[in-house]
Amino acid sequence: MNMEDIIRHIRQYVSETPELGIILGSGLGDLAAQIEDPICVNYGDLPGFPVSTAPGHAGRFVFGRLCGKYVVCMQGRVHYYEGHPMEKVILPVRVMKRLGIRNLIVTNAAGGINTEFQVGDFMLIRDHINFMGVNPLIGKNDPDFGPRFCDMSYAYTPALRRLAKDTAEELDVILHEGVYLGCSGPSYETPAEIRAFRILGADAVGMSTVPEVIAASHCGLPVLAISLITNMAAGVLDVKLSEEEVLEIGARRADTMQKLVRSIITKL
Ligand code: HPA
């Protein structure tokens, strides 16, 4: 894995500097289809780049104009549960930082722990709990990106959260705010785990986002993250969890998520 090679490869195709990075979660990849004059760069063509195998994830960067801004969109992300080392999970964030982005928007699918949530609701992430059992910054620190001990006090940028809340209100979209707990997966959680996570202060649970946000904080990137509650977490309702439900709710709510994200981008 060589950052310079990756940047050089992308620069062969993309001359403009993206000002915004967007990471799209499961089933929410449609926003990339709305990018004007898109230039696609497949992860598989980038030296040393991890390739996503998760369903609903296309696995490429899409560069182009969206709501008047030049953006780079990750259509498909890589997850720790796919077996990639953490340094590869966060590599795309560092690549986008090196390409020049100044803000990062992250979306994901999550299970609702807070019983006031309903399937199909959106949750603005206020903070996270890292339950993945590992931190992506473990290992030699690269001071070109950030300090050894990275502050996480304002990882989910307050000004961007304010902007998202105001925008959701204007659009009449319900946007809860809460704490996202990241697990490694790939098994869903047990009902006992979900009860424990609720006591710990989690409102939603998922298998992504935490590593990327830690990497973004490390390199000083402001982050806005929104979860789509695709299902109630294990044991909240007396039903089994299914991947199909997650993807189906993602598809059903993709339009509203896009509307919300597009309005936020316009105001950035
Ligand atoms: N748990 C973990 N990850 C998820 C869930 C869940 O219930 N739903 C969507 N992603």
Side-chain angles (χ1 to χ4, degrees):
M1 167 179 62
N2 183 323
M3 178 64 78
E4 298 320 314
D5 290 343
I6 293 171
I7 300 294
R8 205 175 307 123
H9 185 94
I10 293 173
R11 288 264 178 244
Q12 285 182 337
Y13 304 98
V14 182
S15 53
E16 229 171 307
T17 297
E19 57 181 295
L20 170 68
I22 308 168
I23 305 179
L24 299 172
S26 302
L28 297 166
D30 271 5
L31 191 66
Q34 299 174 13
I35 290 179
E36 296 156 40
D37 303 324
I39 300 172
C40 299
V41 180
N42 291 327
Y43 300 153
D45 294 337
L46 296 172
F49 218 77
V51 178
S52 173
T53 59
H57 288 255
R60 60 189 183 182
F61 281 122
V62 184
F63 294 82
R65 207 157 287 283
L66 186 65
C67 306
K69 305 233 162 27
Y70 202 75
V71 305
V72 51
C73 189
M74 280 184 73
Q75 198 176 21
R77 52 149 67 97
V78 284
H79 298 83
Y80 186 52
Y81 63 70
E82 293 172 77
H84 303 293
M86 271 294 179
E87 59 175 321
K88 294 221 172 189
V89 175
I90 64 166
L91 178 62
V93 172
R94 291 184 161 174
V95 167
M96 291 191 288
K97 168 75 179 177
R98 284 294 305 272
L99 288 169
I101 65 165
R102 283 186 297 222
N103 287 296
L104 179 67
I105 295 181
V106 185
T107 66
N108 63 40
I113 295 179
N114 186 323
T115 52
E116 295 190 355
F117 293 178
Q118 286 183 7
V119 169
D121 282 355
F122 297 107
M123 185 190 88
L124 178 64
I125 304 181
R126 183 190 333 121
D127 203 349
H128 76 219
I129 297 172
N130 181 4
F131 231 82
M132 291 191 148
V134 63
N135 188 297
L137 303 179
I138 287 175
K140 192 172 180 305
N141 184 55
D142 183 346
D144 280 352
F145 284 105
R148 169 78 293 183
F149 301 104
C150 152
D151 178 42
M152 294 292 294
S153 304
Y154 303 99
Y156 297 84
T157 311
L160 294 179
R161 277 162 40 210
R162 181 75 265 156
L163 179 71
K165 280 194 268 194
D166 291 346
T167 307
E169 210 174 296
E170 282 163 27
L171 296 175
D172 231 353
V173 171
I174 296 173
L175 183 62
H176 304 289
E177 192 174 24
V179 173
Y180 175 94
L181 186 144
C183 284
S184 71
S187 59
Y188 287 117
E189 304 69 34
T190 64
E193 285 166 346
I194 295 302
R195 284 193 300 276
F197 295 164
R198 184 177 298 121
I199 292 166
L200 291 179
D203 297 291
V205 61
M207 305 175 193
S208 66
T209 303
V210 164
E212 291 106 318
V213 172
I214 292 174
S217 279
H218 183 238
C219 65
L221 258 183
V223 171
L224 173 71
I226 300 174
S227 295
L228 168 63
I229 306 299
T230 52
N231 58 283
M232 293 312 288
V236 175
L237 306 173
D238 192 13
V239 291
K240 285 180 89 166
L241 269 50
S242 81
E243 162 108 52
E244 290 71 37
E245 184 189 15
V246 169
L247 294 177
E248 189 209 312
I249 299 296
R252 208 191 305 158
R253 295 293 283 159
D255 271 2
T256 309
M257 178 69 109
Q258 281 168 30
K259 196 169 76 170
L260 180 59
V261 172
R262 289 180 63 107
S263 299
I264 292 167
I265 295 172
T266 305
K267 293 190 197 168
L268 276 177

